[in-house]
Amino acid sequence: MKENKVISLEERAKDEAKICLEELLSEGARKLLQTAIENEVVEYLEAHRERRTDSGKRAIVRNGHHPERELVTGIGPIKVRQPRIRQRDGQKFSSAILPPYIRRVPSVDALIPALYLKGISTGDFTEALTAILGERASGLSATNVVRLKGCWEEEYKAWCRRDLSAKAYVYWWADGIYFNVRLDEERSCVLVLMGALEDGTKELLAVVDGYRESTQSWRELLQQLKRHGLTVAPKLAIGDGSLGFWLALQEEYGPVPQQRCWVHKTANILDKMPKSVQGRAKELIHEMYLSPTRKAALEAYDQFIDSYQAEFPKATDCLEKDKECLDRIEVSECRWRPH
């Protein structure tokens, strides 16, 4: 049977309306961007109108436009002409809105690694980006994606070598993230460590490949951080029940107060209960670690034990065994506490 290639009038009308709307949005964005960069130049010229050269001429003047270039955006490519400025005193103007060599807006640059991490192969990028950005998307071929990947790797290596000697983190969060992609016999595990400064600012400390969540893998990560200046231990470390991190932490930084991660603990407890009671059980768990005082937290804890111990002993045992490590809120003198 031959494939039916007849397009109904209704479908054609929808396609034409979609194309018209996309073109309208693209043209509106182009005009706004063009107006913005033109106004930026006018303001710059006005701010420096009194600057003169040794011969008395104005040091900064308009000098036409640069050649038209295409900027890839989330609504498709937009063509713009950037004003050219002639500066006779040797200084150079650089647009804050549209830097000289930018070819894609930051949101598109963020889209590319996101697609890569989702498993899109380099050969399929053109098709994937065309579906997202439109038929006219350009400059994002497989070759360019490979080049970008090389840049990401260099940026990651430079980030791993950064100086941490001036940092003092109050809290550390540690976790091992497993991926379904199997490059070896074992599932890939990425070790992640985050920290929080005294003002509450959270920062990513390390992201490295690891073998499961072994002590050796965590030890290597912590040793790398120490080599780059992170010698001050946190006041509190938060993680799941995996022994690898806790053993490595004690070896490298000495005794550090521990708190079990409430996210992991909540999932482990609810996994031992039927869905019909998980809603209320989850509310009680939230009351424990969101309580304004320890007394209120312990009341929610006792209520959970009393409510579910008879019928769901495995769930209450899971909570009880880590009670001491879950109750570490008082350790920090900061204005906020970890969850």
Side-chain angles (χ1 to χ4, degrees), residues 180-225:
N180 290 325
V181 178
R182 288 180 178 264
L183 301 178
D184 299 309
E185 292 183 2
E186 300 290 341
R187 280 197 306 163
S188 177
C189 177
V190 174
L191 305 182
V192 181
L193 189 66
M194 292 189 63
L197 300 170
E198 290 187 356
D199 63 359
T201 302
K202 293 181 180 179
E203 295 182 355
L204 185 62
L205 294 179
V207 179
V208 301
D209 293 335
Y211 176 71
R212 294 180 177 270
E213 294 183 68
S214 66
T215 302
Q216 179 61 29
S217 296
W218 281 113
R219 184 187 298 115
E220 292 174 358
L221 183 153
L222 296 177
Q223 288 174 348
Q224 177 180 328
L225 293 177

Side-chain angles (χ1 to χ4, degrees), residues 60-181:
I60 304 173
V61 295
R62 280 288 298 266
N63 188 24
H65 289 81
H66 290 285
E68 187 178 68
R69 61 177 164 138
E70 202 169 65
L71 182 68
V72 178
T73 73
I75 58 173
I78 294 176
K79 293 182 178 180
V80 292
R81 297 187 67 201
Q82 195 164 20
R84 180 188 284 120
I85 291 181
R86 183 181 179 188
Q87 300 197 198
R88 298 187 176 102
D89 57 0
Q91 297 189 25
K92 187 176 181 180
F93 166 75
S94 181
S95 172
I97 299 175
L98 191 63
Y101 302 107
I102 190 172
R103 291 293 180 268
R104 296 179 296 274
V105 297
S107 59
V108 175
D109 278 337
L111 172 64
I112 296 173
L115 291 176
Y116 185 84
L117 291 174
K118 287 293 184 180
I120 301 296
S121 65
T122 54
D124 293 333
F125 257 84
T126 301
E127 181 179 353
L129 291 169
T130 298
I132 297 172
L133 304 176
E135 294 290 338
R136 296 178 295 163
S138 60
L140 297 170
S141 64
T143 302
N144 281 338
V145 173
V146 172
R147 179 180 56 80
L148 287 171
K149 179 174 174 288
C151 294
W152 302 334
E153 290 176 348
E154 291 302 318
E155 290 175 359
Y156 171 73
K157 291 178 182 178
W159 177 76
C160 289
R161 296 191 296 266
R162 71 197 186 285
D163 182 18
L164 296 171
S165 58
K167 297 288 187 178
Y169 297 95
V170 180
Y171 299 127
W172 283 2
W173 288 269
D175 198 7
I177 303 174
Y178 290 88
F179 295 92
N180 290 325
V181 178

Side-chain angles (χ1 to χ4, degrees), residues 314-331:
K314 290 184 178 180
T316 54
D317 289 346
C318 182
L319 177 62
E320 286 179 310
K321 74 173 186 177
D322 287 325
K323 179 182 178 182
E324 183 180 350
C325 290
L326 287 167
D327 185 19
R328 292 286 190 180
I329 294 174
E330 82 288 0
V331 179

Side-chain angles (χ1 to χ4, degrees), residues 282-333:
K282 190 174 183 180
E283 290 180 5
L284 285 175
I285 295 172
H286 285 179
E287 285 184 30
M288 294 178 209
Y289 67 80
L290 294 176
S291 296
T293 64
R294 170 173 292 180
K295 180 181 178 182
L298 291 175
E299 288 175 354
Y301 173 88
D302 292 336
Q303 184 179 350
F304 185 96
I305 300 298
D306 293 341
S307 299
Y308 300 113
Q309 190 170 39
E311 195 168 358
F312 309 111
K314 290 184 178 180
T316 54
D317 289 346
C318 182
L319 177 62
E320 286 179 310
K321 74 173 186 177
D322 287 325
K323 179 182 178 182
E324 183 180 350
C325 290
L326 287 167
D327 185 19
R328 292 286 190 180
I329 294 174
E330 82 288 0
V331 179
S332 173
E333 297 177 356

